[in-house]
Amino acid sequence: ITLADLTAAAQISVADYLGGIDWKLHDQARGWDYAIKCRPSFRPLLSERMEVIQPPSHYGETDI
């Protein structure tokens, strides 16, 4: 894992949280995203929530 992976994962996570990614069209990117989400250092971030906006149901899933 590189700094570029972590930077991209942070940006993609925000877009995913807001429901801006249709994962059906991006299988390879989805696999990469789930691999990052499964890392122990990234998992605590998945439990954070905004008060006004809730993420899609798949957001916190770490199983494909």
Side-chain angles (χ1 to χ4, degrees), residues 13-21 23 49 53-61:
S13 183
V14 170
D16 190 25
Y17 186 97
L18 297 174
I21 299 176
W23 290 111
R49 298 289 185 262
I53 302 171
Q54 293 299 312
S57 60
H58 71 269
Y59 178 73
E61 294 176 6

Side-chain angles (χ1 to χ4, degrees), residues 1-62:
I1 190 166
T2 67
L3 183 56
D5 288 313
L6 295 175
T7 303
Q11 297 299 315
I12 290 171
S13 183
V14 170
D16 190 25
Y17 186 97
L18 297 174
I21 299 176
D22 183 2
W23 290 111
K24 293 178 217 150
L25 303 174
H26 307 286
D27 286 335
Q28 190 173 10
R30 179 177 172 229
W32 172 86
D33 183 60
Y34 279 106
I36 296 292
K37 284 182 176 181
C38 289
R39 296 190 62 82
S41 60
F42 203 82
R43 283 185 177 208
L45 300 174
L46 298 176
S47 64
E48 294 184 11
R49 298 289 185 262
M50 297 172 69
E51 291 182 25
V52 179
I53 302 171
Q54 293 299 312
S57 60
H58 71 269
Y59 178 73
E61 294 176 6
T62 55

